[in-house]
């Protein structure tokens, strides 16, 4: 009797354990990951230094470099490249507030990815900046942000790659990438990117970089549940 009871309890534990394990696996296998690197073909160009001609007490504090082409000398990784899953893919964005700062007289980050929604514009510099968007699908924005205005909100409703500039500082530029799905990655200083929780399937993956892709460059990828798919792009000037 006692032995039967022990066996029954043991079986119960095993069943619960099995259920927990399979459930965890189910969660982990819901999507796959695309990771990779965007590389520059040829010798890495040296970063181009910018010389701020105005508000130098703020804009000249830290050295500024032209972010439109930043290539890592060692790895030849290209920074600020945008890698996106294209086609009919749906997914829910899990973001609360997306912010873009004007700090040291540059847009930080240089490339921001967001769902169609509001974008918070910060002004950490405390000097006059001006948020100027160059869009075709979204209504253009040209809004001054005086130094005392630490925070303002703008809106991008349509998926689009939008160039932004500041009319007060000619060297300031950046990009707002509006995407209706979250499967978009931006490369870091080593050219690496990661796109997580992609629904399993075969997709056309697209890379865009403001100075190296007059037309986006694509390749096919297959994403499997719970697995990592590695991709390399090489961009030429
Ligand atoms: Cu500015």
């Amino acid at each position: 009797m006692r032995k039967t009871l022990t066996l029954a309890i043991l079986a119960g534990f095993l069943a619960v354990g099995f259920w927990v394990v399979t459930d965890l696996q189910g969660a982990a296998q819901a999507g796959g990951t695309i990771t990779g690197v965007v590389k520059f073909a040829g010798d890495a160009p040296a970063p181009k230094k910018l010389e701020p001609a105005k508000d130098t007490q703020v804009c000249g504090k830290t050295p500024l470099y032209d972010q439109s082409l930043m290539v890592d000398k060692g790895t030849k990784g290209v920074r600020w490249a945008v890698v996106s899953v294209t086609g009919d893919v749906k997914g829910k964005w899990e973001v609360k507030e997306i912010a873009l700062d004007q700090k040291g007289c540059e847009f930080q980050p240089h490339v921001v990815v967001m769902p169609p929604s509001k974008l918070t514009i910060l002004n950490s510099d405390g000097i006059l900046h001006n948020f100027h968007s160059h869009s075709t699908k979204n209504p253009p924005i040209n809004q001054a942000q005086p130094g005392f205005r630490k925070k303002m909100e703008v809106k991008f409703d349509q998926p689009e790659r939008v160039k932004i500039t500041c009319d007060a500082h000619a060297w300031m530029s950046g990009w707002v990438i509006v995407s209706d799905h979250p499967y978009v990655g931006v490369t870091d200083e080593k050219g690496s990117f990661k796109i997580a929780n992609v629904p399993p399937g075969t997709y056309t993956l697209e890379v865009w970089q403001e100075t190296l892709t007059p037309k986006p460059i694509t390749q096919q990828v297959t994403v499997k549940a719970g697995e990592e798919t590695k991709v390399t792009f090489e961009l030429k000037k």
Side-chain angles (χ1 to χ4, degrees):
M1 178 63 195
R2 211 167 145 190
K3 203 174 174 186
T4 321
L5 190 65
T6 314
L7 277 173
I9 291 169
L10 195 67
F13 271 120
L14 281 174
V16 169
F18 181 72
W19 175 75
V20 168
V21 168
T22 47
D23 198 52
L24 283 176
Q25 277 177 347
Q29 283 179 1
T33 308
I34 306 170
T35 61
V37 63
V38 178
K39 288 192 171 195
F40 186 80
D43 293 336
K48 200 174 137 201
K49 207 166 173 229
L50 299 172
E51 299 297 339
K54 198 181 160 189
D55 294 325
T56 46
Q57 72 285 3
V58 176
C59 306
K61 255 194 230 165
T62 46
L64 292 175
Y65 294 94
D66 183 354
Q67 298 296 313
S68 67
L69 184 58
M70 293 292 282
V71 181
D72 183 74
K73 214 179 165 190
T75 63
K76 290 192 190 176
V78 178
R79 197 177 188 185
W80 307 125
V82 179
V83 182
S84 325
V85 169
T86 66
D88 189 25
V89 59
K90 285 180 178 62
K92 219 178 139 205
W93 275 92
E94 282 176 31
V95 286
K96 284 193 180 121
E97 186 184 22
I98 296 193
L100 181 66
D101 198 2
Q102 296 159 112
K103 197 177 174 190
C105 303
E106 59 180 1
F107 291 109
Q108 293 192 18
H110 178 68
V111 176
V112 67
V113 179
M114 61 177 280
S117 65
K118 285 175 184 161
L119 174 67
T120 301
I121 313 289
L122 304 172
N123 184 354
S124 291
D125 282 338
I127 57 169
L128 173 74
H129 285 296
N130 161 272
F131 186 85
H132 193 166
S133 77
H134 305 265
S135 55
T136 53
K137 290 176 186 157
N138 290 277
I141 303 159
N142 193 351
Q143 208 168 315
Q145 189 169 15
F148 61 83
R149 206 168 166 202
K150 292 285 167 213
K151 201 172 172 178
M152 67 180 193
E153 250 176 16
V154 295
K155 214 172 162 190
F156 291 95
D157 279 335
Q158 299 299 321
E160 188 181 1
R161 279 190 282 263
V162 183
K163 186 172 182 170
I164 52 167
T165 56
C166 168
D167 294 342
H169 307 103
W171 66 87
M172 281 179 74
S173 78
W175 290 86
V176 174
I177 312 297
V178 190
S179 170
D180 52 11
H181 64 71
Y183 311 116
V184 183
V186 180
T187 54
D188 63 14
E189 61 271 33
K190 300 277 182 209
S192 301
F193 70 92
K194 182 180 178 181
I195 308 172
N197 300 318
V198 184
T202 297
Y203 302 102
T204 300
L205 199 62
E206 176 184 286
V207 62
W208 171 89
Q209 201 281 336
E210 61 183 291
T211 54
L212 299 176
T213 54
K215 274 185 190 168
I217 291 167
T218 60
Q219 63 174 282
Q220 292 282 111
V221 285
T222 297
V223 177
K224 289 180 183 161
E227 288 184 21
E228 184 179 327
T229 306
K230 287 188 178 172
V231 178
T232 301
F233 283 102
E234 211 175 44
L235 305 182
K236 283 182 206 139
K237 194 150 190 192

